[in-house]
Amino acid sequence: MPASPIRRPRKPATPPAEPKFAKDVKSSRGERAPKAEAPRRHVPEVPAPVAEPVETGDGAQKLQKMLASAGLGSRREMETWITAGRVSINGVTATLGERVSPGDRVLVDKRPVKLSFDVELPRVLIYHKQEGEIVSRDDPKARKTVFDALPRVRNGKWVAIGRLDFNTEGLLIFTTSGELANRLMHPSFEVEREYTVRIMGELSQEQMKSMTAGVELEDGMAYFERIAEMGGEGSNRWYQVIIKEGRNREVRRMFEKFGMMVSRLIRVRFGMVNLPPRVKRGHMLELESAQVAAILKWVGLPVPEQLPQNRPQDKKR
């Protein structure tokens, strides 16, 4: 049986603890330069769950949360829709922060939306993005998009968890739950992203130390949680880097700050989800119910008491 892409998480830390890596790294800011050794695989620290608002006795829930759970988009996107006046409850234009209860009639762009107040298991799939694909449904240049290859979803849509730029390949996660996407992408969770990077040239120990201590970019300070050498041949050198942000081209820009051009960039992990070697470029894998449940627990979301076992991806392989 192939290895699971899901790592066994540690118990949540409250408050979130600094991540612990190999012994050669003293802190997440890199007080000591890492040794030039192959990167060690580790289990990431689990971010502390964000406390949900106290529910009212009638089962009312935040409107943006319910719309996100219905798979219409991320919670932030739903908040934008509500602010724009696109959502109504029982014929009245909704306001941000308003709650919705079972039996309420909710319309988005004057079309009814079915909201489920029961805990349901979302779908989650991993996709190995290729270079030359964009992570967007709409592109004026009509370039190939990662959404073209995804299976259809009833009563919802796939929400991308994080993005990769046009020239970056590797792990993309999609889910039908906007709430799950919000938990994994929100900056307060500081979810780790792990990349392998190929550059022309070689970094010095001082440069690696600077990258973990902090580098000033045009949009503020940035740093790697960890950077480690992975070897290479000739002028091409490989590095493993771990970062907790999702700013545009941040990994590339940090290397460019030291005059190093990135010739290949691959994301191999997002949080507790790895990119399995068997998932080749342009291919995908939908996670099994137990794996999805593990992710929900990791981010502090409720899990159904009974997991569905009749989905194709849950069949024994």
Side-chain angles (χ1 to χ4, degrees):
M1 181 179 295
S4 170
I6 304 300
R7 295 184 177 188
R8 184 181 297 276
R10 297 178 182 175
K11 293 181 179 179
T14 307
E18 287 292 328
K20 297 179 181 179
F21 301 104
K23 294 180 180 179
D24 55 294
V25 178
K26 197 170 184 179
S27 75
S28 63
R29 295 299 190 275
E31 296 175 9
R32 294 172 57 189
K35 296 178 182 178
E37 60 180 21
R40 301 180 182 180
R41 289 287 176 179
H42 63 278
V43 179
E45 291 287 347
V46 181
V50 174
E52 286 293 321
V54 177
E55 297 181 11
T56 58
D58 60 357
Q61 299 271 4
K62 282 286 187 70
L63 176 59
Q64 60 264 35
K65 174 185 175 183
M66 296 304 297
L67 292 174
S69 297
L72 298 181
S74 67
R75 186 185 287 200
R76 286 186 177 182
E77 188 177 3
M78 296 304 98
E79 291 174 350
T80 302
W81 289 11
I82 296 170
T83 303
R86 297 174 58 183
V87 185
S88 67
I89 304 175
N90 300 324
V92 180
T93 301
T95 58
L96 192 60
E98 194 168 353
R99 293 179 178 274
V100 61
S101 303
D104 287 337
R105 180 174 171 80
V106 178
L107 303 181
V108 175
D109 294 333
K110 299 182 180 181
R111 299 179 64 179
V113 176
K114 182 180 179 181
L115 302 179
S116 175
F117 289 81
D118 297 325
V119 178
E120 295 184 352
L121 196 71
R123 295 174 66 182
V124 178
L125 64 80
I126 56 180
Y127 175 71
H128 189 156
K129 178 188 175 297
Q130 309 171 85
E131 290 186 29
E133 294 180 316
I134 62 169
V135 188
S136 175
R137 286 185 171 85
D138 303 311
D139 179 39
K141 299 180 181 179
R143 291 172 294 182
K144 184 178 180 181
T145 169
V146 295
F147 290 95
D148 292 339
L150 303 184
R152 296 199 173 197
V153 178
R154 286 186 178 182
N155 302 320
K157 67 178 183 180
W158 290 112
V159 180
I161 298 175
R163 291 175 176 267
L164 293 175
D165 65 40
F166 187 72
N167 295 320
T168 302
E169 66 176 274
L171 175 65
L172 272 177
I173 307 174
F174 295 90
T175 180
T176 55
S177 169
E179 182 65 12
L180 174 58
N182 179 71
R183 289 293 181 98
L184 288 170
M185 290 189 294
H186 199 280
S188 64
F189 277 87
E190 297 187 326
V191 176
E192 291 182 349
R193 289 90 157 154
E194 180 178 334
Y195 296 82
T196 55
V197 189
R198 186 181 69 187
I199 65 171
M200 293 284 290
E202 186 173 0
L203 293 171
S204 67
Q205 291 296 313
E206 285 301 315
Q207 288 173 324
M208 293 171 67
K209 182 178 179 180
S210 296
M211 287 181 163
T212 56
V215 176
E216 182 69 40
L217 301 178
E218 59 269 23
D219 53 354
M221 291 294 294
Y223 64 91
F224 292 140
E225 295 292 324
R226 174 186 169 101
I227 179 169
E229 297 180 15
M230 298 180 68
E233 296 180 358
S235 59
N236 291 316
R237 310 301 297 179
W238 285 92
Y239 293 86
Q240 175 217 40
V241 301
I242 296 173
I243 197 166
K244 286 185 175 180
E245 292 184 308
R247 282 190 266 170
N248 185 42
R249 299 185 70 256
E250 188 170 4
V251 174
R252 293 179 185 274
R253 288 188 290 140
M254 287 189 66
F255 277 92
E256 290 169 2
K257 188 75 174 180
F258 294 90
M260 303 292 179
M261 297 299 297
V262 174
S263 58
R264 195 171 178 193
L265 181 60
I266 309 168
R267 184 159 70 195
V268 296
R269 178 171 65 84
F270 194 110
M272 65 183 295
V273 182
N274 294 302
L275 179 62
R278 69 183 184 277
V279 181
K280 305 304 180 183
R281 296 185 190 94
H283 290 248
M284 68 191 73
L285 172 70
E286 185 158 358
L287 301 188
E288 300 172 6
S289 295
Q291 296 170 331
V292 176
I295 298 175
L296 293 176
K297 290 178 181 178
W298 191 66
V299 299
L301 289 177
V303 178
E305 294 182 6
Q306 186 84 25
L307 297 182
Q309 299 295 327
N310 57 350
R311 302 191 299 181
Q313 63 272 28
D314 294 326
K315 294 180 180 179
K316 292 184 178 181
R317 300 172 182 176

